[in-house]
């Protein structure tokens, strides 16, 4: 039985979400389907984003159980870690009276339910929110991995991050979404009383300063995945995002795929899909550096994909866009950049070609002046889609400078029609023919002159 019940969020009109506490949970696991949790983190936040408490710990899945790839945890680190039963009490204490949040709620729920089920503990159902599902309702993206969604909504995140960093990212995402998009609960959340367990020991994972994300981390954010995603493709993307793919990781990935029931043909197809997408992204940018070509060949070789021939080339400067702002328009612009396959910068550097700003960016924002100094084009968020070539310029109904002429011409046409109507009435009233003809000529002249003035300019 699942211990988490998904809650629906929608626009205004439901039960207010502002004022609710959220506990964001992130886990690292041994595989792609319910197995064992090897790291757990939770961050409780108020609706305004302020942190009310947090915990993080490695979790021993059992003697000799491998930790799995992609998260940098070694078996030796788990030997001294507490069991899941020891960390359940502190987790429930932190979650009490709050709505649980996870990025991929179904994935987290499946693993937590399996762990709690193994303990034989009876648990009430917790209300939960999936930031992945919420993101799908507000922005269109190539994929909905946590780092991609966070980047699109202007929330800092790095690939390969430990569970605590992931939980902090999820916490910032949910509070940003509630505040920025005005979400409400479809129904009032039921916050059950949770059982109390003796507090166990925790063993936080040592935090290593993350390396600066390279080209590969940027590229995987632009790889298109289906709306429901592909768990193995997502795992591959997470592994290659750190620019390193060791033979040990490839072996572990193959074992996980087999354990998840994926055939060898499906695995090969997914490897080819990833490498092909990376190559297309590199070539689409118009500039393939030596480092990018080397990284791509290394990944292709490690995954057993042959025939990848990408050579450094291109003399231009790849389009690279930085979007500043905290509005819905800024979110949609960042998402649009990723959807179009263009590089979305995380900070201002000399490689940024365009800086896009919205109304929330202060007039004295120093990055605007600095971008101009670096030669980047500064764009308003509303004009950016056309300036970046994502949309064609809007067809104008009339050429610039014509509105006044159009109005004047139409007025003149109206006068002409009125004169001609008056002539008809006058003729029936006995007005002399010569006078009628004279006024009729004036009316026709006004009508034709007005039509000539108001006629749309040739295109």
């Amino acid at each position: 039985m699942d211990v988490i019940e998904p809650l629906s969020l929608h626009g205004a009109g439901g039960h207010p979400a502002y004022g609710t506490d959220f506990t964001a949970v992130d886990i690292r696991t041994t595989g792609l389907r319910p197995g064992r949790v090897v790291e757990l983190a939770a961050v409780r936040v108020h609706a305004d984003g302020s942190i009310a408490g947090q915990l993080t710990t490695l979790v021993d899945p059992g003697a000799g159980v491998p930790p799995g790839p992609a998260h940098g945890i070694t078996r030796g680190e788990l030997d001294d870690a507490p069991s899941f039963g020891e960390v359940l009490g502190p987790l429930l204490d932190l979650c009490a009276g709050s709505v649980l949040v996870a990025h991929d709620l179904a994935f987290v729920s499946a693993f937590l339910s399996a762990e709690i089920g193994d303990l034989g503990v009876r648990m009430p159902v917790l209300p939960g929110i999936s930031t992945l599902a919420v993101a799908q309702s507000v922005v269109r993206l190539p994929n909905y991995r946590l780092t991609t969604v966070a980047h699109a909504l202007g929330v800092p995140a790095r690939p390969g991050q430990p569970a605590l960093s992931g939980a902090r990212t999820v916490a910032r995402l949910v509070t940003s979404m509630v505040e920025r998009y005005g979400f409400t609960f479809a129904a009032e959340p039921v916050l059950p009383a949770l059982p109390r367990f003796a507090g166990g020991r925790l063993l936080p994972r040592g935090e290593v300063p993350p390396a600066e994300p390279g080209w590969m981390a940027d590229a995987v954010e632009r790889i298109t995945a289906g709306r429901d995603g592909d768990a193995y493709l997502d795992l591959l993307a997470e592994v290659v995002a750190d620019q390193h793919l060791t033979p040990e990781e490839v072996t572990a990935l193959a074992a996980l795929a087999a354990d998840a029931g994926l055939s060898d043909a499906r695995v090969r197809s997914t490897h080819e899909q990833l490498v092909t997408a990376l190559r297309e992204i590199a070539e689409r940018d118009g500039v393939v550096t030596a480092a990018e070509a080397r990284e791509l060949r290394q990944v292709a070789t490690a995954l057993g994909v042959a025939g990848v021939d990408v050579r450094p080339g291109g003399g231009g400067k790849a389009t690279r866009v930085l979007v500043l702002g905290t509005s819905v328009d800024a979110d949609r612009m960042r998402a649009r950049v990723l959807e179009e396959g263009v590089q979305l910068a995380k900070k201002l550097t000399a490689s940024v070609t365009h800086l896009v700003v919205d109304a929330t960016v202060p007039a004295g924002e120093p990055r605007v002046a600095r971008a101009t100094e670096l030669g980047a084009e500064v764009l308003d968020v509303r004009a950016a889609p056309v300036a970046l070539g994502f949309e064609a310029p809007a067809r104008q109904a009339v050429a610039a400078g014509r509105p006044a002429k159009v109005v004047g011409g139409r007025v003149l046409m109206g006068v002409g029609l009125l004169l001609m109507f008056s002539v008809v009435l006058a003729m029936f009233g006995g007005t002399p023919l010569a006078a009628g003809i004279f006024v009729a000529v004036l009316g026709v002249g006004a009508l034709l002159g007005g039509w000539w003035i108001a006629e749309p300019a040739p295109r």
Side-chain angles (χ1 to χ4, degrees):
M1 175 181 176
D2 287 342
V3 299
I4 303 173
E5 180 180 10
L7 290 177
S8 296
L9 291 179
H10 56 60
H15 185 80
Y18 200 84
T20 303
D21 274 13
F22 300 96
T23 300
V25 176
D26 198 18
I27 58 175
R28 298 291 176 266
T29 66
T30 58
L32 298 173
R33 63 181 183 180
R36 305 308 303 268
V37 173
V38 295
E39 186 182 19
L40 169 71
V43 177
R44 181 161 178 158
V45 291
H46 301 307
D48 63 3
S50 58
I51 296 179
Q54 65 181 35
L55 67 82
T56 180
T57 183
L58 294 169
V59 180
D60 185 2
V65 177
H71 37 55
I73 299 172
T74 66
R75 179 58 246 185
E77 290 178 295
L78 300 180
D79 289 338
D80 296 326
S83 66
F84 188 86
E86 293 179 88
V87 305
L88 179 59
L91 174 63
L92 295 182
D93 289 345
L94 188 63
C95 291
S98 68
V99 173
L100 190 144
V101 188
H103 185 60
D104 187 343
L105 187 67
F107 181 84
V108 171
S109 177
F111 275 88
L112 294 184
S113 297
E115 291 282 6
I116 292 172
D118 287 346
L119 294 174
V121 174
R122 296 182 62 85
M123 279 273 300
V125 177
L126 299 168
I129 293 173
S130 168
T131 51
L132 184 155
V134 178
Q136 287 176 331
S137 72
V138 296
V139 289
R140 182 175 174 178
L141 292 167
N143 63 75
Y144 289 89
R145 288 184 285 274
L146 177 58
T147 52
T148 306
V149 172
H151 197 182
L153 271 64
V155 173
R158 299 217 179 204
Q161 56 194 348
L164 180 57
S165 296
R168 288 171 177 166
T169 298
V170 172
R172 290 191 61 181
L173 273 179
V174 71
T175 54
S176 295
M177 288 172 169
V178 167
E179 180 178 5
R180 198 172 301 173
Y181 293 88
F183 282 120
T184 60
F185 294 113
E188 182 176 0
V190 177
L191 306 177
L194 299 180
R196 300 294 302 274
F197 298 97
R201 66 188 180 91
L202 302 178
L203 180 62
R205 180 181 178 183
E207 290 198 43
V208 178
E212 187 69 21
W215 170 80
M216 197 69 74
D218 168 80
V220 298
E221 291 185 357
R222 295 183 274 161
I223 293 176
T224 301
R227 185 172 177 83
D228 295 327
D230 182 316
Y232 184 59
L233 179 61
D234 285 349
L235 183 60
L236 275 178
E238 185 176 348
V239 173
V240 304
D242 65 359
Q243 303 168 258
H244 299 287
L245 189 61
T246 66
E248 292 77 17
E249 286 177 322
V250 174
T251 301
L253 286 168
L256 287 182
D259 183 60
L262 298 182
S263 66
D264 290 343
R266 173 71 182 277
V267 170
R268 286 194 301 273
S269 175
T270 305
H271 289 181
E272 291 170 357
Q273 179 184 351
L274 176 71
V275 173
T276 299
L278 290 172
R279 184 189 64 199
E280 290 176 351
I281 288 169
E283 294 173 344
R284 187 188 307 145
D285 289 342
V287 180
V288 181
T289 68
E292 291 169 359
R294 183 176 61 254
E295 290 174 20
L296 186 53
R297 283 193 292 267
Q298 189 268 333
V299 168
T301 300
L303 294 177
V305 178
V308 177
D309 185 19
V310 178
R311 294 187 175 88
K317 185 177 183 181
T319 300
R320 196 158 185 261
V321 183
L322 175 63
V323 181
L324 302 181
T326 57
S327 67
V328 172
D329 286 341
D331 288 348
R332 290 174 178 166
M333 189 65 239
R334 282 185 285 262
R336 182 68 180 274
V337 171
L338 289 171
E339 186 184 6
E340 295 286 346
V342 174
Q343 295 183 40
L344 179 62
K346 297 178 176 66
K347 61 183 181 180
L348 181 61
T349 65
S351 64
V352 170
T353 58
H354 298 80
L355 177 69
V356 179
V357 297
D358 69 1
T360 68
V361 178
E365 167 60 52
R367 283 174 292 182
V368 174
R370 180 57 179 159
T372 303
E373 293 175 2
L374 293 172
E377 184 176 358
V378 179
L379 303 170
D380 178 79
V381 69
R382 292 165 296 182
V386 172
L388 291 167
F390 301 161
E391 297 176 5
R395 179 179 292 180
Q396 299 298 317
V398 292
R402 288 191 53 83
K405 294 176 64 178
V406 170
V407 172
R410 289 175 178 172
V411 169
L412 190 57
M413 290 171 67
V415 171
L417 288 172
L418 182 61
L419 288 173
M420 294 179 69
F421 181 70
S422 300
V423 167
V424 173
L425 292 179
M427 294 294 289
F428 279 106
T431 300
L433 181 61
I437 293 175
F438 177 75
V439 176
V441 170
L442 290 178
V444 171
L447 184 62
L448 293 175
W451 174 82
W452 181 82
I453 294 173
E455 181 188 12
R459 293 177 182 174

